[in-house]
Each structure stands twice: as structure tokens, then as C-alpha cells.
Amino acid sequence: MDFSVRKELIKNRFENQFSNTPEIIVQAPGRVDLMGSHTDYNLGYVLTQAIDRNTWIAARPRQDKIVRIASLNVEGTSEFHLDDIQHDTVNPWTNYVRGVADILQKEGYELTGFDGLIHSTIPFGSGLSSSAALEVASAILFEALADWEIDPVQIAVLCQRAENGFVGMNCGILDQYSSAMGVANSVVLLDCRSITHEIKPIADGVQVMICDTKAERALTGSEYSERRAQCEEGVRILSQFYPEIRSLRDATLGQLAAHKADIPPVVFKRCQFIIEENQRVLDMAAALADGRHEDAGQLALRSFDGARDLYEIVSSEMIAMKDAITGAPGVFGARGAGAGFGGCLVAFVREGEIDTFSSEVLKKYTDFTGIDADVYPVIAASGAGLVLSRSHN
Ligand code: GLA
């Protein structure tokens, strides 16, 4: 949607909703991981970028410590007092805002209430981090309404804690970090142990494409926690033999293989995937930076295979999408994005062949599954910030 059209839309709808004008608009982007599935909570690396799909909140401060929120994407409004933050079971999407308010206050930040209207262009539940974008946008908004400032890395850390503690999803730092710290036209090589990143160039001549299976993600919560627990079990066993191993980031394939007999087979597979995937992140960053497109494509395909066979997070629709992508014009490779269990694949496609790629993938995927997919390019965007500041209203 055109920027000024969107701004007018959200302002007008805000006026209808709250009978007043918004004073401020903030935004936080979604993300796509180019390599590194489930490596974040294993304190490894992820190659990630913020995308040009984001969540806006238009807001007007209030003096009574009440937060009232509505959304252009989801039905229902929700209201809470900053001195008494409870979970909302009727409008659970507002828990992302509530959780961020809660953690900021627990950290000693003084918050101002507001009327807020949310508008998102990130598809929900497709693995592009719409939840993290709402969290990060909320934190940016509380900051903009206050007289304190907060480091964007700290915003990412606190938003992750809000999701872990308040929402109850035991995610790593990837989504919130990408949304807070994205760099326009660049790829971010995130180190999840030091919570720092290196900026890498975007590959010349390669377009990042999102191929959304449009299949509902199932079991993401429980299966996700189970994977995490299996990785922790692997670390527990390996660290008995190698005390320096504190997370799978520290382990090598050689160490893992040497203790195959000590590790339950499922745990072994999970650990193998993470150790291999972590190395693939570094290899992918190098391949993209050097313009080795074929190598990058092969790495993506190996990631997909490992996610399917070892980590077992690939749904049947994801396999159908991968089959639709294989052999399509201009494609170098593709892999699952986000947590898996449905959602999107990310494909690397030669610039100039986007249209033929998209139409072939769309057609084949519908032939295979009967589902209409969504296939579109994304651009690396900057992290969260102000769209409209109070002084420029
Ligand atoms: C979800 C989580 C992230 C990360 C990915 C998988 O998006 O929120 O922390 O674990 O899955 O890489």
C-alpha cells in the first residue's frame, strides 16, 4: 500500500474510532530468516533481514494511565490500566502490547497511557514475525511518549522477555532483534550469544521471494517447546563429556558423533541439524556476499532437507511448495522460514525472473494442494522507528 494512502487511512480510521486525531505513528517490521532455523535459542547465528512489511501504531497519549487499542486487521477493542495489567483472553493479540507494557514497567520505565490503532501489512501466522513486530512497535511507542530513551538491542531483549514471560511463547531473540535492528538494503548476521550483529551486503542479482503456503500453522507452540527441550537435553549429555559445551553453538559434529551411543536417537537428530545449520549460516553469509548464487541455493536446499528429516518441522504443504519451486524459472534454492510447521518458504531467485517464477510456483502449488498461495518479493528494510513524530504532526 502506498505510504501516504496508508497514513491517511490510519488517521481517518483513528478519528472514527477515538473521535480525536493521532499525534504519533510508529512502525516495526516483520522479518525473514535467510538461514538459521532454530539456531537462535541454541545461541548460534542467524542470517536475517527486516522486510518491507510492517506494523504501524497510530496513537494519542492519555493522562489517565489507560491504554485503549484497536486494530484495522482484527476485530475487537481492548482496554487496560497500566497499574493493573492482566491477560486478555477475548482479544489475545493485545497480550503482545500488554506484555511489553508489563515488562517495561517492571524494568522501572514510567509509561504513559494512549489510544492506539494498529495496522499491519505482515500476514499473521505465516512465520514472518507479526507478533514480534507488534511487540517492538509497542515498545517504540511507549518510548516515544515518554521522556526516557532505550537502546534498540534492549528493546529486542525486553520484547523477547515479554513474549516468553507474559505471552508464554518460549522463543529466542531472532524475531524481536530483526524487527528492532534491521538495516535497509542489508542482511544482518546475528550472533545470538553476544546479541550483536555484523552487516552483510545483499547478494547482487538475487531477489528474496516469500512463498507463503497459506496453510494454517499447527502445533507451533508445543512442538517448538519440545524441540527446545530436546536441544537442551543434547547439551546436558554432551557437557558431561565436554564441559566447555554450554549450548549447541559450542558443539561440533565430531563431538556429537563420538557420543552417538549416549544420546537418544531423536535428540541426536535435533543436535545434528542445529550444528549443521549453524555452520550453514556462516557459509550462506559468505556465499551471498561473494555472489556465489548457486552455492547459496544449495545451502538453502540442504537447510530444507535437514529441517524435514532431522528437525522434523516441515509440513506437507511446505513440501508441496518446495516441489512447486524446484525447477521454476530463475530459482537458486529455497528453505523454510521462521519456526516451520507451515507458513512460508523463502526462495532465492535471479532478478529479472521474478514474474515467471511467481506464476509458475503459484500454478503448480495450487495444482498440488488446491490451495491458493501467495508469492511476492521482499526488500531488506530498516528496523523499528517513527513514521510520524509528535513535532511533525
Ligand atoms: C520463531 C521464534 C524464533 C526462532 C524461529 C526459528 O520465529 O520466535 O525465536 O526460534 O522460530 O528459527
Side-chain angles (χ1 to χ4, degrees):
M1 191 188 292
D2 176 74
F3 179 81
S4 43
V5 172
R6 189 174 177 194
K7 212 160 91 179
E8 280 318 298
L9 171 79
I10 200 163
K11 278 180 158 182
N12 290 338
R13 298 290 285 274
F14 186 99
E15 285 173 27
N16 293 344
Q17 181 83 34
F18 298 111
S19 308
N20 215 330
T21 49
E23 277 190 15
I24 190 168
I25 304 178
V26 296
Q27 68 85 20
R31 64 97 189 88
V32 65
D33 46 317
L34 305 184
M35 186 60 81
S37 292
H38 295 254
T39 46
D40 65 346
Y41 54 79
N42 288 296
L43 305 188
Y45 298 104
V46 191
L47 194 64
T48 177
Q49 64 176 55
I51 58 175
D52 52 334
R53 299 267 181 144
N54 53 29
T55 295
W56 284 15
I57 309 178
R60 184 178 185 89
R62 299 171 59 101
Q63 301 316 317
D64 55 5
K65 297 196 101 184
I66 284 176
V67 173
R68 286 198 296 173
I69 28 178
S71 164
L72 290 181
N73 303 84
V74 190
E75 289 284 307
T77 58
S78 187
E79 181 174 319
F80 62 94
H81 196 285
L82 286 166
D83 289 341
D84 179 28
I85 304 178
Q86 305 293 332
H87 288 84
D88 186 340
T89 47
V90 180
N91 298 296
W93 57 272
T94 70
N95 288 328
Y96 298 109
V97 184
R98 290 162 183 261
V100 169
D102 190 53
I103 190 86
L104 285 172
Q105 293 195 133
K106 285 185 173 145
E107 288 294 307
Y109 294 99
E110 202 158 308
L111 304 188
T112 304
F114 62 84
D115 287 338
L117 183 63
I118 298 161
H119 179 242
S120 186
T121 56
I122 310 166
F124 299 156
S126 64
L128 300 176
S129 292
S130 56
S131 321
L134 180 52
E135 289 157 2
V136 173
S138 303
I140 295 280
L141 176 58
F142 281 121
E143 178 187 31
L145 296 179
D147 56 6
W148 41 261
E149 279 181 17
I150 184 168
D151 177 75
V153 173
Q154 188 61 8
I155 286 193
V157 168
L158 292 176
C159 287
Q160 180 204 6
R161 275 168 55 191
E163 179 135 2
N164 294 165
F166 195 91
V167 178
M169 161 72 181
N170 207 11
C171 63
I173 190 73
L174 166 64
D175 306 347
Q176 293 79 8
Y177 192 96
S178 308
S179 185
M181 297 294 293
V183 182
N185 301 315
S186 300
V187 175
V188 165
L189 175 58
L190 166 62
D191 180 334
C192 301
R193 171 166 277 160
S194 59
I195 319 190
T196 56
H197 72 264
E198 271 176 51
I199 296 173
K200 296 284 175 185
I202 226 140
D204 234 4
V206 176
Q207 176 61 55
V208 174
M209 300 290 292
I210 301 297
C211 305
D212 189 343
T213 62
K214 290 294 192 97
E216 282 278 302
R217 284 193 306 173
L219 294 172
T220 319
S222 55
E223 293 277 350
Y224 186 93
S225 307
E226 192 179 287
R227 296 301 179 283
R228 216 179 151 146
Q230 288 161 339
C231 291
E232 284 160 11
E233 190 180 345
V235 171
R236 231 177 1 256
I237 297 169
L238 284 169
S239 64
Q240 290 165 16
F241 303 98
Y242 310 100
E244 71 277 16
I245 295 181
R246 284 168 294 132
S247 71
L248 287 181
R249 190 281 183 52
D250 303 318
T252 64
L253 287 177
Q255 291 169 327
L256 182 69
H259 294 282
K260 191 164 186 174
D262 303 304
I263 301 173
V266 173
V267 172
F268 185 89
K269 284 202 287 187
R270 307 295 191 245
C271 294
Q272 184 187 340
F273 173 74
I274 294 298
I275 297 169
E276 289 176 350
E277 183 80 349
N278 201 41
Q279 182 59 45
R280 273 193 290 267
V281 176
L282 302 175
D283 295 346
M284 184 72 156
L288 287 176
D290 298 348
R292 286 183 282 114
H293 301 163
E294 302 290 344
D295 290 351
Q298 286 307 310
L299 286 163
L301 293 172
R302 286 207 286 278
S303 170
F304 185 91
D305 289 350
R308 183 192 57 212
D309 303 334
L310 298 173
Y311 220 62
E312 297 177 281
I313 52 173
V314 168
S315 66
S316 59
E317 290 87 0
M318 291 170 76
I319 293 175
M321 182 58 86
K322 152 85 179 332
D323 291 345
I325 289 170
T326 306
V331 70
F332 296 112
R335 59 182 291 281
F341 309 105
C344 296
L345 267 64
V346 54
F348 301 90
V349 177
R350 192 175 293 117
E351 252 171 29
E353 300 203 53
I354 300 170
D355 294 341
T356 42
F357 169 83
S358 303
S359 50
E360 176 148 339
V361 171
L362 286 168
K363 184 181 172 311
K364 275 200 178 157
Y365 181 75
T366 310
D367 288 349
F368 294 155
T369 61
I371 304 172
D372 288 333
D374 238 348
V375 176
Y376 53 91
V378 283
I379 298 169
S382 15
L386 294 177
V387 173
L388 178 75
S389 67
R390 291 172 88 174
S391 49
H392 289 95
N393 205 13

